[in-house]
Amino acid sequence: MAAARLHLMPVMSAAAEAVAQGRDWLTDAECRRLQAITSPVRRDSFLAGHWQARALAAQWLQLDARRVALDTHVDGRPLLRVDGETEPLHVSLSHSGGWLALALADAPVGIDIELPQRERDWEALARFVFSPEERQRVRDAEGAARANVFHTLWTLKEARGKRGGEGLQPRATRTVTAQPADAADAEALGWAFGGGALALALTPGTRLERAGDTLGAPSHWRYAKVAGAAAGHD
């Protein structure tokens, strides 16, 4: 059975840990990407995620973190290498609102965290990427619950796209709907967090060994194709 671990930490402390390591752990490609980032907040998020991916993967593999490098798959997903060789340990990163979420697994995995910064037109955003069933759930929610429902479903969409490497493609995501599931049948887990949501999409059958200490019990989900692939806007 595949296993996964979820880590949740403040970006500020994770970035400080990364800075304390110097810069020699960054690859040439990472250095170029870092130099192109002008926002201090985005630079902190970049350093935090890229160092923690190494450090936590090294902890899992029981080796020195400087033997681990972070590259990218052709589809853009993070790719771990150990001593230059591809490591069959999967990693996914997300950050929002000053928090970094990171998942490791020995099978494909995707993670997304969304902490809302301002009130938005949740129904309009839902029409862009949600299935008809999901859009109805957003419409049926009242008051503050509408934002909660939206963020739960949005993070589940993002996590699934990261797991498979296809990303968030509106036409495709409208043909898939997230449905509540029993724990034994779940391929995604969701948590309410910080006024937003966190979702973890796993390969079916993967066991979550550890979740962040600040998270409670998750909700359980599965992804189902929309009947007739009715993906149009309504």
Side-chain angles (χ1 to χ4, degrees):
M1 179 182 289
R5 297 176 184 175
L6 186 160
H7 302 270
L8 182 64
M9 64 199 78
V11 167
M12 185 175 296
S13 59
E17 183 180 329
V19 170
Q21 306 302 317
R23 294 290 176 87
D24 61 329
W25 55 271
L26 291 162
T27 64
D28 290 343
E30 287 173 314
C31 285
R32 288 192 294 271
R33 288 179 62 189
L34 184 62
Q35 289 171 357
I37 300 173
T38 57
S39 164
V41 172
R42 289 186 59 218
R43 287 174 68 88
D44 282 350
S45 294
F46 181 91
L47 288 169
H50 283 238
W51 171 253
Q52 290 299 328
R54 286 166 164 81
L56 294 170
Q59 184 182 94
W60 179 307
L61 299 168
Q62 299 185 326
L63 48 78
D64 190 293
R66 290 177 184 270
R67 293 177 57 192
V68 184
L70 196 62
D71 201 349
T72 56
H73 287 277
V74 173
D75 58 24
R77 287 175 299 156
L79 171 66
L80 289 168
R81 297 188 186 276
V82 174
D83 299 333
E85 299 296 324
T86 301
E87 171 58 42
L89 181 64
H90 300 260
V91 61
S92 185
L93 303 163
S94 183
H95 50 81
S96 179
W99 287 89
L100 168 67
L102 187 151
L104 291 165
D106 45 20
V109 64
I111 195 166
D112 189 60
I113 182 171
E114 297 288 344
L115 302 183
Q117 305 298 309
R118 62 185 186 280
E119 187 72 18
R120 303 180 72 178
D121 187 338
W122 309 121
E123 284 192 57
L125 289 169
R127 285 194 297 273
F128 185 56
V129 294
F130 287 4
S131 70
E133 178 184 328
E134 291 167 330
R135 296 198 292 271
Q136 188 62 50
R137 284 188 233 168
V138 174
R139 282 195 293 266
D140 288 346
E142 297 182 0
R146 179 167 293 172
N148 296 337
V149 170
F150 172 85
H151 284 100
T152 295
L153 296 173
W154 183 277
T155 54
L156 287 166
K157 292 281 188 190
E158 287 271 22
R160 179 179 179 274
K162 290 182 177 182
R163 182 189 66 181
E166 66 270 21
L168 197 66
Q169 299 180 20
R171 183 176 296 275
T173 60
R174 292 196 294 268
T175 68
V176 176
T177 192
Q179 298 178 340
D182 294 331
D185 301 322
E187 59 178 306
L189 305 175
W191 292 266
F193 179 73
L198 169 66
L200 181 67
L202 302 165
T203 299
T206 301
R207 180 183 75 260
L208 181 61
E209 291 185 342
R210 183 172 65 193
D213 294 337
T214 56
L215 299 173
S219 54
H220 297 88
W221 302 83
R222 68 181 183 91
Y223 298 106
K225 291 292 291 184
V226 173
H233 295 265
D234 60 5

